[in-house]
Amino acid sequence: DLNTGSNTSISDCSKVYVHEGAKVISTSNAIVECSNIYINNATIVGGVVDWSWSTINVNMTGGSITGTSFGIKTSNSSSKINIIDGTVTATSGPGILITAGTLTLGEDTGGYPSTTNPSIKGSTYGVKNDGGTFNFYDGILKGSTYATSGVVSKTPELFKVLYSADGTEAILGIEATFEQVATVNGVYYDDLTSAIDAAIKVNTKVELCKNITTIDTITIPAGNSVIIDLAGFTINGYTE
């Protein structure tokens, strides 16, 4: 364990490994301007930050980071933050602040995104993107003002950011409309093809909500299968 005190930090180094129950505790920023930072099942109290003239690459697979005005901050366009699991919290600002660089939460594995990990929480925003790239593939974002500020650059295919009623929490969910042609896991789609694609994505069935008449060929992508529950309705085709 390392208690760096109020005016000191781990800084200007090539690699930092904080693993398996280790602790880094500071009343200021805990890790500053270290090129490669690896965090796994460790506790960091104090922010993790680059500066505009320095680059950091953070790889977090578990543990926690708790800062004051931010948990993690990037301001260099080459900095990369990759968080697979763990929690990042700020007590007086956004959990993660991106003014430049790339933040990636989770992994785009092709399955259903986690809605619990990683967890990013701020007293204002969970993630505040002021000019960087934010790839949101897994996790939950929480902020007292709003879950996010700025652009979410990329989500998994067929998924979008879903907000709580007051906007203070955000997770990922299937992108859909509410025309009620078919449903997948309680989410409605306005055409059967989109519903089939979603069902394949999450390995479940499609249930019809009305009779369908179409001139289009219904195609199941090669190598996949899907159950279509007619639920008493019919699918009819015709030619013009």
Side-chain angles (χ1 to χ4, degrees):
D1 294 355
L2 177 63
N3 190 327
T4 63
S6 60
N7 296 310
T8 58
S9 60
I10 301 172
S11 62
D12 296 315
C13 51
S14 175
K15 293 182 180 180
V16 175
Y17 295 88
V18 193
H19 283 187
E20 304 305 329
K23 297 179 181 178
V24 179
I25 301 173
S26 173
T27 56
S28 181
N29 293 320
I31 303 177
V32 181
E33 295 185 86
C34 291
S35 299
N36 297 282
I37 304 166
Y38 302 90
I39 303 164
N40 181 43
N41 296 327
T43 300
I44 296 174
V45 177
V48 175
V49 61
D50 65 4
W51 300 122
S52 59
W53 57 85
S54 66
T55 299
I56 62 171
N57 294 289
V58 177
N59 294 279
M60 185 175 183
T61 53
S64 65
I65 298 172
T66 303
T68 304
S69 54
F70 53 80
I72 300 175
K73 178 183 176 181
T74 64
S75 52
N76 186 293
S77 60
S78 297
S79 289
K80 296 180 180 180
I81 312 299
N82 299 300
I83 302 176
I84 304 300
D85 200 355
T87 63
V88 179
T89 304
T91 57
S92 297
I96 299 178
L97 173 60
I98 318 164
T99 59
T102 301
L103 167 65
T104 301
L105 298 182
E107 299 177 285
D108 190 3
T109 61
Y112 205 98
S114 171
T115 57
T116 56
N117 292 303
S119 175
I120 315 299
K121 182 178 181 180
S123 67
T124 53
Y125 305 98
V127 172
K128 190 171 190 286
N129 183 4
D130 279 349
T133 299
F134 175 24
N135 302 318
F136 187 14
Y137 298 136
D138 288 296
I140 183 169
L141 311 177
K142 300 178 182 181
S144 297
T145 304
Y146 207 68
T148 62
S149 174
V151 175
V152 176
S153 308
K154 192 172 183 181
T155 60
E157 186 180 2
L158 300 179
F159 289 83
K160 66 177 181 179
V161 183
L162 303 179
Y163 292 91
S164 60
D166 61 3
T168 60
E169 295 189 9
I171 58 173
L172 292 162
I174 290 285
E175 185 172 8
T177 60
F178 293 89
E179 295 296 326
Q180 300 188 9
V181 169
T183 183
V184 176
N185 282 349
V187 179
Y188 293 98
Y189 292 81
D190 61 5
D191 67 273
L192 184 57
T193 298
S194 296
I196 289 171
D197 289 343
I200 291 171
K201 192 80 171 178
V202 298
N203 192 30
T204 191
K205 70 177 181 178
V206 175
E207 184 174 338
L208 293 192
C209 300
K210 60 174 64 176
N211 295 326
I212 296 174
T213 301
T214 179
I215 62 173
D216 298 320
T217 301
I218 298 172
T219 302
I220 308 299
N224 294 281
S225 62
V226 66
I227 295 172
I228 300 177
D229 182 353
L230 296 177
F233 299 105
T234 60
I235 301 174
N236 298 301
Y238 73 92
T239 57
E240 292 181 319

